[in-house]
Structure formats: structure tokens, C-alpha cells
Amino acid sequence: MTIDQIAILSIIVMIFILFIWGRFRYDIVSIIGLGALFIADELLGGKGSDLILDGSNLFSGFAHPAVITVALVLIISRALRNSGVVDLISRQIAPFSKNRVTHITSLSGVAAILSAIMNNVGALALMLPVALKSSAKQKRSPSILLMPLAFASILGGMITMIGTPPNIIISTFRETQYIDLKARALEDVFSPAAKYFESQNIDIEQFQPEPFAMLDFSPVGGSIALMGVLFVALIGWRFIPKNSYKKPGTESLFSISEYITEIRIPEKCKFIGMEIGEIEHFTGDRLTIFGYITVDENVLTPWLDHIIQEGDRFQIKADPVELKVMMDEYDLRLTKLMRERIDSLKNTNTAFKEVLIKPGSPLENRDREYLRQRTSNTLILMAVARQGEPIRKLLGDVTFRVGDVLLLQGDIDKLDDNISSLDLLPLAERNVTVGVFSKVGLALLIFGSAIALSMFGILPITLAFVGAILMYIFTGILPIRELYQQIDWPIIVLLGAMIPVSNALQSTGTTQLIADGMVAMTGSLPSWFMLALIMIITMTLSDVINNAATALIMAPIAVEIAITMGVSIDPLLMCVAVGASCAFLTPIGHQCNALILGPGGYRFSDYWRMGLPLELLIVILGTPLILYFWPL
């Protein structure tokens, strides 16, 4: 083992540890890995090291076709949503919600289909409010709907090349690997690359390297998705522990009236003489004044420097448990008209909304102070729930996570604007609306035309999608202000930074080293066993680190294994594509899993109960399917 190989393996191990630790977001981890790669290359002699073949191309990964394609797919997902396609489909499945099994099947089936033509996280975000609303209407626990819905969204991404980042990565990786293999074979007719082409009966001179096409993933991915959706809808949801079921029959996680009340300042109250802005600090972050009640019963936004006097009345927010203690501690009284006025809030400009923190939201790993800064103090955080239960601690001490549900209060116009800018997902207030149905056909025609141009080789997929996006802008389906709103920038940074790390695995000969070791250990076993092993290893990594990073690390290893075994690289790359998309054991393995953690009220250990049988099913079905459609 060379010093370069030791260095890149050390960097990979460091990246794995940081991913699993979870202290830093995955894009930051990838930048750390890229920085470590550069430093190691410099320490090992720069031009004398094989870690980075050309230092000027350190950031060339950001121009990689896979990175550009992922960004374009996310923009197209936004356009399809704007056109009303999703709302139209959601209306069609409403009649199926009366029966429990058909309810789960219809939601999961639609999520899988949507995930085939748009980003799977976006598809889940669109269907999640529909699932919550329909579960409340049918008095059915959302816990039996949301995990099948999330798993179906992941499964649906395997159907096409654009459904999930790993498929896009594997597609473009196939082309670049064949280009490299052809160059090596032409340079040395006795090289392993030349022997590979000979074993596959390929004429090197006439061979034209190509990526996987849009529907090349469909025979295997579509079959797995179909069987997977049937499994989670008919059998899998029964593995969710009943003690994890959230109480059915309500669209709201919080009872608003429990967090909002009105107080009167009596003669001996300890608040007298203090400014309103001081109360939050004085009470240890347990009480916030957000409304001043005038003599004529109007509610106004209070001035923070208003001096509290005897007889003043305020609307406050406080945890119901803490409020009982503070009533005695500070000598507070409730107002007589409290209940009527709280009920009347529904008829004013004041709005309360439950929102879900999505992956990539600016609030992820932030706190309440950051929320206040981003919204210029126009929103009040009333409560936070995690895994289906309100957090009984000081809100100022809470660090927001993906899947947390926030109860926000504010002016309805400013509330909606801030929810959009913070990339939050409204829950209980979501209604399935008509949308711009007049443009549904046009949106699908534009999208289908782009797919056709790519499939028939008229345009590369990136140019076809750029053309589709321009058409969406020209037709008004996609406003320019929304052009970049749906791009998951952390994923883009992850891909751009991890591609050079993946390249270093190959340039240092580390992939060849790993491949030789794996082939030596399994040489006496049938070839199908190697395919299953690669799929299982990829699945295991994908359960603890980002699936795109998993694909970038496992793809070059799979290629070298194929060359060493003298078999086609295509079935092994398909194994990586399938395995990277199958993260069902933990809530951290995939963004879809994290998204449902709060609304579903799940525990960390609930996922593997349905996820492990599903992964075993995929390995059992996927291995022969890959061998049938992509022979060795």
C-alpha cells in the first residue's frame, strides 16, 4: 500500500466518521474532505502525488454533468408543482382514503410515480400535507401512512435516471469510466482495460461511450419500486409498533388554546414597573407578551418599551405546564373574556400555523434567535414538537432539527412570506387546490418533449432540461423569482466537493486495491454473490451517510471489481444505484426519512422494523433482476 493510498483511505474514514457523527451538515463535511485532500496532496509533494492530478481543477467537480443535472431536476420539480399536476393527482386519490389499505396504497403509489419524474424529497413534501389532512378526515393515525409514504418516495426515485441523485451520478459515471477505459486500452493493448474490452467482445475503435439513458433504470428500478410499494402498503406498515402510533382525529399537533392565554396585571404583580421587552428575560424565557388589549377590546402589537401598569391586559404565550407555576410566582390573573377572544383570533389577521422543518431549510441546526433575526421579529415561536411530542424546555435553548414541527404566530401575510423564504412546509393548513389546471397539459408536454429529445439522442439531458426550464419561464409556469428556490444547495456542494475525492480513489489505485481484495475473498463464490455483496455494502453505507456520497465512493470500486472479474461494469453500477437509494433503517439515512420523523411521531428504532424486511426483499429481488436485464 502506497502513501497516497493510505492518505486517501484516511480521508475517506474521516469523512465517514464526520457523516455518522452528524455534528456538521453533509455539505460542510464534503468541503472538509476536499480541503483535507488538497492539504494531503501538498504535503506529499504536489505534482509528485496522485491524489490530485491537476491542482487547478480542484473545483472542477462543480462543473460535472451530474451536479448540473441534479440542479436542473430540482428546478423542473418546482415547475411541475406550480402547474397543478400534483394537486390534480391528489384530488383523484381522495376517494381511496376510506379503506385503510387503499388509503396507504394510493398515497404511496402516487408518491412513487411523482418521485420518478421529480426529486423524491420534493414529491414527499408535496404529498405529506395531503396525507396528514386525509388521515385527520378519516380519524386514522398518520403513523401508519407517513412511513410507507416516505419509503415509497425513495423507491420511486429508482425508476428513472432523474428520480434521485445516485441514479444521475451513476449515469454520468458510466460514460466517464468508459471514456477513461477506452483511452487506457488504446494506449496499452496489454492493459487491464484492453483485456476488459476483449472479454466483452467490444471493438475499441468503434466503441462510443455513453451514459445510462433516462429509462435504463426502469426495468430494474420499476420492478423493485412496484414490489416495494406493494410490500409497504400491504404488509410493511403492520411492523410499525402500535405504541408509536400518534393519536388520530386531529390535523393539528398542538392545541393552540393551550399555548395562548390572556392575563391581567393585579395590584401586587411583580411585572409592574417593568418594560414589556424585559419580561421574557425576567421569566427565564417562559413567558412572552405578544398582544396588548386596549380598553375597547382591540388587540395591538405592544411596544417593547411600554411600562407595565396595574390593570393592563396582555395576550401571552406560555407552555401550559409553566403557566400554572408562573401564575403563583408572579401573581398573575387570567382575564374574564380570555376564551372568547382566543376563539375570535380565527377571524383576525393573526394566524397560527404548524410548519415542518425540511432538509436544507435555513432553520436547520439554528435556534430561536436566528428565527427572529431572519423574520425581523415579525413571527413568534409558540411551541416546538419533536417526534410527535411538544418539547418541555426553554424554547431559547432548542436547536432546530429536520422533522421538527414549529407552531408559529404572526400576521397572515408576513407569516406566509416567511414560511416560503425559510423553506418550511405548512402542515394542518394545507388544502388541495385547483392549481393552474389550464397549464397541466402544457407543463407535461414540455417535460415529455425534453425527455424525448434526450432519449432519441437529439440533445444531451442537460441541454434538454435547460430548454424545458426556459419554456416554463416563457409560459409563466415558473416565475423567475422561484428559479433557484428549490435547488438543494447543500446537495450541490456535496457533489461538487466529493467528486475529486472519488477521483482520488481511482488515481491512487485504491479502488484497484480494494477490488483485488474483495475478488480474492469471494473468488470461489458465484458471480451473483458479488453483486448482492456490493448492493448490501452500498445499502449499509447509505443508511448512515448521504446517498449521493455513497454512490460516489462505491461506483469506482464497483468498476474496478468488474474489470478484475472480467465482467461488464453495467450490472455492478446498477447494484450501486439500487443500494444507494435504499436507506430504510434509520431516520438519518435519507432526507425523506427525516422529514416524517416529527409528524409521524416515530422513534429512531421504528424505522428498521419495516426497513430491514424491505431491504432484504430488495436484495432478493434486485440481484436476479439486474442479472436478467444487465447480464454479466
Side-chain angles (χ1 to χ4, degrees):
M1 185 178 292
T2 67
I3 187 67
D4 283 348
Q5 292 171 344
I6 294 173
I8 186 59
L9 286 175
S10 300
I11 291 171
I12 293 294
V13 170
M14 178 197 69
I15 290 173
F16 279 171
I17 292 173
L18 290 176
F19 272 131
I20 296 170
W21 183 29
R23 177 65 178 82
F24 303 105
R25 199 170 61 188
Y26 50 79
D27 54 325
I28 303 300
V29 172
S30 65
I31 291 294
I32 292 172
L34 183 62
L37 183 69
F38 175 77
I39 293 171
D41 183 70
E42 290 296 312
L43 292 176
L44 295 176
K47 292 184 179 180
S49 169
D50 290 327
L51 289 171
I52 302 176
L53 298 181
D54 186 353
S56 63
N57 292 330
L58 182 63
F59 295 101
S60 61
F62 290 93
H64 195 277
V67 180
I68 298 171
T69 305
V70 168
L72 295 175
V73 168
L74 293 171
I75 296 173
I76 287 176
S77 296
R78 178 71 182 194
L80 291 174
R81 172 184 175 180
N82 289 353
S83 70
V85 171
V86 177
D87 288 341
L88 177 61
I89 296 173
S90 299
R91 281 186 179 275
Q92 301 304 313
I93 66 172
F96 298 100
S97 63
K98 294 180 181 180
N99 177 273
R100 181 164 52 184
V101 172
T102 57
H103 193 184
I104 299 172
T105 305
S106 60
L107 286 171
S108 300
V110 170
I113 294 170
L114 290 175
S115 295
I117 61 173
M118 61 193 299
N119 176 261
N120 49 20
V121 178
L124 175 62
L126 291 171
M127 294 302 297
L128 180 58
V130 178
L132 290 173
K133 194 171 187 68
S134 60
S135 70
K137 183 178 180 181
Q138 298 299 328
K139 305 297 182 183
R140 188 168 291 138
S141 172
S143 303
I144 66 173
L145 299 175
L146 298 190
M147 193 177 293
L149 181 66
F151 284 9
S153 299
I154 298 173
L155 289 165
M158 291 191 281
I159 298 176
T160 64
M161 187 265 284
I162 63 171
T164 184
N167 283 7
I168 297 173
I169 292 168
I170 295 300
S171 174
T172 56
F173 189 83
R174 178 185 192 253
E175 181 180 27
T176 57
Q177 285 304 296
Y178 271 130
I179 291 173
D180 180 64
L181 282 174
K182 182 176 180 179
R184 285 156 52 189
L186 292 174
E187 183 179 340
D188 183 0
V189 294
F190 299 105
S191 65
K195 293 179 180 179
Y196 169 79
F197 284 112
E198 183 179 351
S199 68
Q200 298 298 306
N201 296 317
I202 297 175
D203 185 343
I204 302 176
E205 297 290 345
Q206 301 298 321
F207 178 68
Q208 294 297 323
E210 293 180 347
F212 281 123
M214 174 69 67
L215 299 181
D216 281 349
F217 297 88
S218 300
V220 175
S223 301
I224 291 175
L226 176 61
M227 297 305 298
V229 169
L230 289 175
F231 169 78
V232 299
L234 301 177
I235 302 172
W237 65 269
R238 304 175 195 273
F239 295 143
I240 302 171
K242 291 186 177 180
N243 57 6
S244 294
Y245 284 10
K246 279 185 63 176
K247 185 178 179 181
T250 176
E251 294 181 43
S252 297
L253 180 64
F254 305 99
S255 176
I256 302 257
S257 60
E258 289 184 0
Y259 292 85
I260 303 295
T261 191
E262 294 183 0
I263 60 169
R264 175 175 57 84
I265 305 298
E267 180 182 359
K268 296 181 181 180
C269 180
K270 295 180 182 179
F271 290 174
I272 294 176
M274 299 179 65
E275 294 183 358
I276 288 178
E278 299 175 340
I279 296 301
E280 194 170 275
H281 178 72
F282 180 69
T283 60
D285 201 22
R286 294 180 295 167
L287 183 149
T288 299
I289 296 175
F290 71 93
Y292 175 74
I293 305 173
T294 64
V295 177
D296 55 358
E297 303 302 326
N298 289 321
V299 180
L300 305 176
T301 301
W303 296 99
L304 296 182
D305 58 358
H306 173 83
I307 303 298
I308 297 175
Q309 301 174 17
E310 179 185 350
D312 281 349
R313 294 176 299 162
F314 300 103
Q315 284 186 337
I316 66 166
K317 75 97 180 173
D319 187 278
V321 176
E322 295 286 352
L323 181 60
K324 295 175 182 178
V325 177
M326 290 187 289
M327 295 290 291
D328 295 328
E329 184 177 351
Y330 302 116
D331 197 12
L332 301 172
R333 299 290 183 270
L334 299 178
T335 65
K336 294 180 180 179
L337 299 177
M338 174 187 65
R339 183 58 52 203
E340 291 91 340
R341 198 179 340 267
I342 291 173
D343 292 339
S344 72
L345 283 173
K346 301 175 183 177
N347 301 319
T348 68
N349 259 355
T350 300
F352 298 88
K353 284 197 176 182
E354 291 175 351
V355 295
L356 179 68
I357 297 182
K358 294 164 53 179
S361 167
L363 291 187
E364 186 179 351
N365 297 322
R366 298 285 191 167
D367 56 15
R368 186 184 62 179
E369 187 60 31
Y370 178 80
L371 172 64
R372 288 177 171 176
Q373 293 173 2
R374 278 293 300 261
T375 61
S376 302
N377 288 314
T378 58
L379 297 187
I380 292 177
L381 177 65
M382 313 301 297
V384 182
R386 182 167 294 157
Q387 292 178 235
E389 295 294 333
I391 296 177
R392 303 297 186 185
K393 64 188 286 189
L394 301 182
L395 294 183
D397 295 337
V398 176
T399 299
F400 303 134
R401 301 178 189 171
V402 173
D404 282 355
V405 180
L406 312 183
L407 176 61
L408 300 177
Q409 181 269 337
D411 178 270
I412 190 166
D413 296 325
K414 294 179 180 178
L415 186 58
D416 290 338
D417 290 342
N418 281 307
I419 287 174
S420 177
S421 67
L422 292 171
D423 198 19
L424 302 172
L425 178 64
L427 294 182
E429 296 299 320
R430 162 82 171 180
N431 287 310
V432 179
T433 56
V434 174
V436 192
F437 283 140
S438 59
K439 295 187 177 180
V440 168
L442 178 60
L444 292 177
L445 176 63
I446 293 172
F447 179 70
S449 299
I451 298 297
L453 289 173
S454 170
M455 289 177 58
F456 291 110
I458 300 174
L459 287 176
I461 188 69
T462 49
L463 287 181
F465 280 177
V466 167
I469 291 169
L470 289 175
M471 290 301 298
Y472 285 137
I473 293 173
F474 296 153
T475 55
I477 294 174
L478 182 66
I480 294 179
R481 68 178 181 276
E482 296 181 0
L483 189 58
Y484 304 113
Q485 285 183 0
Q486 292 300 303
I487 295 181
D488 190 349
W489 293 110
I491 283 289
I492 301 302
V493 173
L494 168 75
L495 293 174
M498 284 297 295
I499 285 173
V501 176
S502 175
N503 292 340
L505 280 171
Q506 296 175 277
S507 62
T508 58
T510 306
T511 52
Q512 182 66 56
L513 182 70
I514 296 172
D516 289 342
M518 292 184 65
V519 172
M521 288 188 295
T522 60
S524 60
L525 297 172
S527 56
W528 63 261
F529 182 84
M530 180 62 77
L531 267 69
L533 180 62
I534 291 174
M535 193 183 301
I536 292 170
I537 292 173
T538 308
M539 280 181 176
T540 303
L541 291 178
S542 191
D543 279 317
V544 293
I545 69 174
N546 181 273
N547 56 7
T550 299
L552 286 169
I553 292 169
M554 287 301 299
I557 295 174
V559 167
E560 290 298 337
I561 290 174
I563 294 172
T564 303
M565 293 176 62
V567 299
S568 172
I569 69 174
D570 291 344
L572 279 77
L573 285 178
M574 279 291 168
C575 284
V576 174
V578 171
S581 295
C582 295
F584 302 114
L585 300 187
T586 67
I588 62 173
H590 197 283
Q591 292 171 315
C592 288
N593 293 345
L595 201 58
I596 62 165
L597 186 63
Y602 302 115
R603 294 171 299 182
F604 196 95
S605 59
D606 291 339
Y607 286 80
W608 70 267
R609 297 174 186 273
M610 183 165 72
L612 183 58
L614 178 58
E615 289 195 1
L616 290 174
L617 177 66
I618 290 171
V619 172
I620 293 171
L621 291 176
T623 303
L625 281 170
I626 291 172
L627 285 172
Y628 179 78
F629 290 105
W630 299 95
L632 291 169

